[in-house]
């Protein structure tokens, strides 16, 4: 029973780590491409039905392409947000 519990925990942990890593990499890459392409703004988008309160408050917030959102993060998955902001985050950014 203990072995099965750990197997389940590792499986769930691995999936959440993968989601977090993809969000971080995709957001970083999109931000770099948007900046290089001359876009000037970015808008936070919540894609989860159950977002963190901090992320729900950011939904629709627009800042300059080189600016940080009110949480201090540059994009969803920004390492500066730590695990409490990045674990299993499904948010994205839209550029303009």
């Amino acid at each position: 029973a203990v072995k099965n519990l750990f197997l389940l925990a590792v499986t769930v942990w691995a999936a959440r780590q993968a989601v977090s890593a993809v969000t971080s990499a995709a957001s970083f890459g999109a931000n770099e491409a948007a900046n290089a392409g001359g876009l000037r703004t970015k808008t936070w988008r919540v894609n989860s039905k159950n977002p963190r309160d901090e992320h729900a408050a950011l939904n629709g917030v627009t800042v300059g392409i080189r600016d940080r959102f009110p949480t201090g993060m540059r994009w969803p998955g920004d390492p500066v947000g730590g695990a409490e902001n990045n674990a299993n985050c499904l948010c994205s950014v839209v550029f303009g």
Side-chain angles (χ1 to χ4, degrees):
V2 172
K3 180 180 176 182
N4 287 337
L5 177 64
F6 279 104
L7 182 59
L8 177 62
V10 167
T11 303
V12 170
W13 175 83
R16 287 187 178 177
Q17 286 296 104
V19 167
S20 300
V22 169
T23 297
S24 181
S27 295
F28 169 76
N31 196 77
E32 290 296 301
N35 190 26
L39 298 177
R40 299 184 185 270
T41 64
K42 56 189 173 188
T43 303
W44 191 286
R45 291 284 181 240
V46 170
N47 301 310
S48 171
K49 293 180 182 176
N50 187 25
R52 295 168 173 79
D53 291 341
E54 296 84 0
H55 292 199
L58 290 175
N59 193 37
V61 171
T62 300
V63 298
I65 193 78
R66 295 183 182 186
D67 295 331
R68 294 177 183 263
F69 288 97
T71 58
M73 296 170 63
R74 297 166 290 183
W75 51 74
D78 184 354
V80 75
E84 64 273 8
N85 273 297
N86 294 329
N88 211 30
C89 176
L90 301 175
C91 296
S92 60
V93 284
V94 176
F95 299 95

